[in-house]
Amino acid sequence: MGELDSFDFKGGEVLTFDKPLEWTSFNVVGKIRYKVCRLLGVKKLKVGHAGTLDPMATGLMVLCTGKATKKIEQIQGTEKEYIADLKLGATTPSFDVETEEDAHFPTDHVDLEKIKSVIPQFLGEIDQTPPIFSAVKVNGRRAYDMARKGEEVELRSKKIFIKEIEVLDFKEQHLVLRVVCGKGTYIRSLARDFGKALESGAYLTALRRTRVGDFDVKDAYTIEAFCEMIDRAMESNK
């Protein structure tokens, strides 16, 4: 298998990928499973991911194959780092760019000092309500399915942990934050709540996951590069 000689997909591998924009987490798992199964000449192989990324987010996804799928829960529990781009002065129903702006708010009073002054209220263990456009289940149904059909969705808040929030950039209505947090944190909800704390509005315009535990996106494969590596290995095996 050339470049892939050191891989034992059945015995178990932990692989990291840089998810492209608009791909679902399901798309990534499906693509990698298909390519690896073709390489191995098998019909089935266990492949799972250690944490969903929204289609409108990019960045690190950790996939486990074979017996390494037993590590998924452990990896999911590790801390994560995100780079979040927020637009201030407006909100959307989905808290990101999936839906159109539905309300507008003043931002003239928002400066760097005010932004830094609200950060402490989001650090440590806090209560957070997930977005209605999320995969949270309500009576066995996904919240986003209900929300997209215009149905009423009421979600309960839950405890999450945020370790760090750092301002990376701030210009007029554009704010970039680096967030280090625990399992189950919705950065879209953080964006909404951050806007409220600023006595304005905010929603997520871009999100990139840069780290999951000890795994860093700098070391991750692109989907394209990994698939090309498998194609070369298959070609050389003919």
Side-chain angles (χ1 to χ4, degrees):
M1 289 192 289
E3 299 163 272
L4 297 169
D5 282 340
S6 62
F7 286 84
D8 181 3
F9 295 110
K10 290 181 183 177
E13 292 289 345
V14 178
L15 306 167
T16 57
F17 294 93
D18 188 346
K19 187 188 86 66
L21 190 67
E22 295 184 351
W23 279 55
T24 66
S25 300
F26 183 78
N27 291 152
V28 176
V29 170
K31 181 74 170 180
I32 299 307
R33 183 192 289 118
Y34 170 75
K35 297 298 284 191
V36 173
C37 281
R38 284 200 66 203
L39 176 71
L40 300 179
V42 298
K43 289 186 177 180
K44 287 183 180 179
L45 178 70
K46 273 189 178 181
V47 181
H49 65 75
T52 303
L53 261 185
D54 289 335
M56 301 312 293
T58 66
L60 187 62
M61 275 194 67
V62 181
L63 268 62
C64 298
T65 76
K67 292 177 182 176
T69 52
K70 293 176 182 176
K71 297 180 181 179
I72 285 176
E73 194 172 335
Q74 176 192 340
I75 297 169
Q76 282 178 329
T78 59
E79 73 177 22
K80 298 165 182 67
E81 180 182 78
Y82 296 89
I83 306 299
D85 288 51
L86 280 63
K87 180 181 177 180
L88 305 180
T91 55
T92 72
S94 59
F95 310 159
D96 65 5
V97 294
E98 185 182 337
T99 52
E100 298 291 324
E101 292 179 1
D102 60 354
H104 298 88
F105 306 86
T107 57
D108 292 345
H109 63 291
V110 179
D111 56 18
L112 188 57
E113 186 179 347
K114 185 167 182 65
I115 290 167
K116 289 184 175 179
S117 75
V118 304
I119 287 176
Q121 65 187 268
F122 295 101
L123 298 178
E125 187 177 73
I126 62 170
D127 289 307
Q128 186 187 73
T129 304
I132 59 170
F133 284 79
S134 67
V136 174
K137 284 192 174 181
V138 181
N139 297 324
R141 297 175 64 197
R142 297 289 185 187
Y144 57 68
D145 286 333
M146 298 169 70
R148 285 171 185 148
K149 290 176 181 174
E151 297 176 32
E152 289 265 332
V153 184
E154 192 170 327
L155 299 178
R156 293 179 181 177
S157 66
K158 60 178 183 174
K159 298 285 184 186
I160 60 156
F161 184 83
I162 298 181
K163 183 179 178 181
E164 294 176 50
I165 298 178
E166 178 189 4
V167 178
L168 297 183
D169 193 31
F170 172 58
K171 289 174 185 170
E172 297 177 351
Q173 290 181 303
H174 182 226
L175 174 64
V176 183
L177 300 174
R178 182 181 70 87
V179 181
V180 179
C181 58
K183 179 183 177 182
T185 303
Y186 280 94
I187 306 298
R188 283 181 288 148
S189 290
L190 176 63
R192 172 209 50 196
D193 296 341
F194 211 83
K196 285 183 180 178
L198 292 171
E199 300 170 279
S200 182
Y203 67 92
L204 204 59
T205 56
L207 181 66
R208 182 161 177 77
R209 185 158 68 196
T210 50
R211 184 169 61 82
V212 176
D214 294 328
F215 300 103
D216 196 291
V217 73
K218 295 195 298 288
D219 305 315
Y221 289 104
T222 63
I223 307 290
E224 185 180 18
F226 187 80
C227 291
E228 284 177 358
M229 187 166 65
I230 286 185
D231 290 342
R232 284 195 300 272
M234 292 178 67
E235 194 64 33
S236 66
N237 289 342
K238 284 182 178 178

